[in-house]
Amino acid sequence: MANITLGGNPAETIGTLPEINSKAPNFTLTANDLSSKSLSDYDGFRKVLNIFPSVDTGVCATSARKFNEEASTLNNTKVLCISKDLPFAQSRFCASEGLENVEMLSDFKDGSFGKNYGLEISKSAFSGLHSRVVIVLDENNKVLYTEQVPEIGQEPNYDNALKALK
């Protein structure tokens, strides 16, 4: 369990993030076309998992924009933005923002991603949503970097996440 805050108020997550050098848990998430995507669909690519509560909040939208900007310069890397937003909302957001270098994935169906990665929020107004986390994986799904952002209203450390790819 991680102790985090939401607007300065205490919150918790249900578990802990995957450990550095461990194999990332598999997932099945929903793409904007309502198809299922699993971790194995991205085998052979490095991955930045940009995880957040909802694309409809300012900081979440900012992180999607920032990683979209950075993704255009990354070789053999997929940036996956993951939330519990419906795929329709994610698609609408990307279209209105002109985001073409990130892939939005939704955990709305069964919520197992947030549970399996230990980042689902508990004991907070955002209970059941994802906390703000960045996880970087190599081509073989080994965890290279994790960041559990301590205050949900803060942006992640983009530089440290991107350095993990070098």
Side-chain angles (χ1 to χ4, degrees), residues 29-35 52 54-56 81 83-97 99 103-109:
L29 298 166
T30 305
N32 288 345
D33 64 2
L34 301 181
S35 65
F52 47 80
S54 174
V55 76
D56 286 327
C81 294
S83 70
K84 285 195 173 180
D85 292 300
L86 291 175
F88 315 112
Q90 293 175 332
S91 183
R92 192 171 44 253
F93 171 78
C94 286
S96 70
E97 294 287 331
L99 304 184
E103 187 172 339
M104 292 281 186
L105 297 172
S106 177
D107 189 24
F108 84 99
K109 284 190 177 177

Side-chain angles (χ1 to χ4, degrees), residues 5-148:
T5 57
L6 169 61
N9 297 311
E12 296 176 356
T13 64
I14 63 168
T16 57
L17 300 178
E19 296 202 16
I20 302 295
N21 294 319
S22 70
K23 181 117 173 149
N26 194 22
F27 59 71
T28 300
L29 298 166
T30 305
N32 288 345
D33 64 2
L34 301 181
S35 65
S36 292
K37 293 286 192 168
S38 66
L39 183 58
S40 63
D41 290 324
Y42 304 97
D43 283 352
F45 291 97
R46 300 178 308 166
K47 291 151 286 284
V48 176
L49 309 182
N50 178 34
I51 306 154
F52 47 80
S54 174
V55 76
D56 286 327
T57 64
V59 177
C60 301
T62 297
S63 72
R65 286 185 207 104
K66 178 66 174 173
F67 277 119
N68 180 72
E69 178 185 318
E70 295 295 336
S72 65
T73 66
L74 301 173
N75 293 323
N76 196 43
T77 303
K78 300 284 185 179
V79 176
L80 309 177
C81 294
I82 303 169
S83 70
K84 285 195 173 180
D85 292 300
L86 291 175
F88 315 112
Q90 293 175 332
S91 183
R92 192 171 44 253
F93 171 78
C94 286
S96 70
E97 294 287 331
L99 304 184
E100 298 177 349
N101 301 314
V102 296
E103 187 172 339
M104 292 281 186
L105 297 172
S106 177
D107 189 24
F108 84 99
K109 284 190 177 177
D110 69 5
S112 62
F113 175 84
K115 290 174 179 60
N116 293 341
Y117 277 72
L119 54 84
E120 182 176 299
I121 299 170
S122 62
K123 298 181 183 178
S124 159
F126 277 17
S127 289
L129 295 177
H130 296 157
S131 57
R132 187 173 317 286
V133 170
V134 176
I135 299 173
V136 177
L137 308 176
D138 73 5
E139 296 88 339
N140 300 307
N141 302 322
K142 181 174 85 171
V143 178
L144 301 176
Y145 173 84
T146 64
E147 178 188 9
Q148 171 71 69

